[in-house]
Amino acid sequence: MNRVVFWALMALCVGVEIWGLVIDNRDVHYLGAIAGCGVIGINHLLHRADRYEEFVEAGEQR
């Protein structure tokens, strides 16, 4: 996941959170917050997988 996609998804999640506050619906607000945590978690896992692949490739070259 590149930075543009990450920040676009995070902006969408923050927008959903704010929209939930504006319409006074806490369920929508919480949904945006949970989705934001999910985006952060997926980004972390993808970054970690990329680093693992680089580590494996470096080990094969030795």
Side-chain angles (χ1 to χ4, degrees), residues 11-58:
L12 179 66
C13 292
V14 169
V16 169
E17 286 185 60
I18 293 171
W19 181 56
L21 291 174
V22 168
I23 64 171
D24 198 28
N25 189 340
R26 288 191 179 177
D27 291 339
V28 174
H29 172 70
Y30 293 145
L31 179 71
I34 291 170
C37 292
V39 169
I40 292 170
I42 294 296
N43 185 43
H44 178 70
L45 288 174
L46 290 174
H47 178 68
R48 192 170 182 183
D50 287 342
R51 290 185 60 207
Y52 178 76
E53 288 177 2
E54 291 173 2
F55 177 75
V56 169
E57 289 175 3

Side-chain angles (χ1 to χ4, degrees), residues 1-15 39:
M1 180 181 311
N2 61 20
R3 289 180 188 245
V4 174
V5 172
F6 174 76
W7 286 112
L9 289 173
M10 286 305 295
L12 179 66
C13 292
V14 169
V39 169

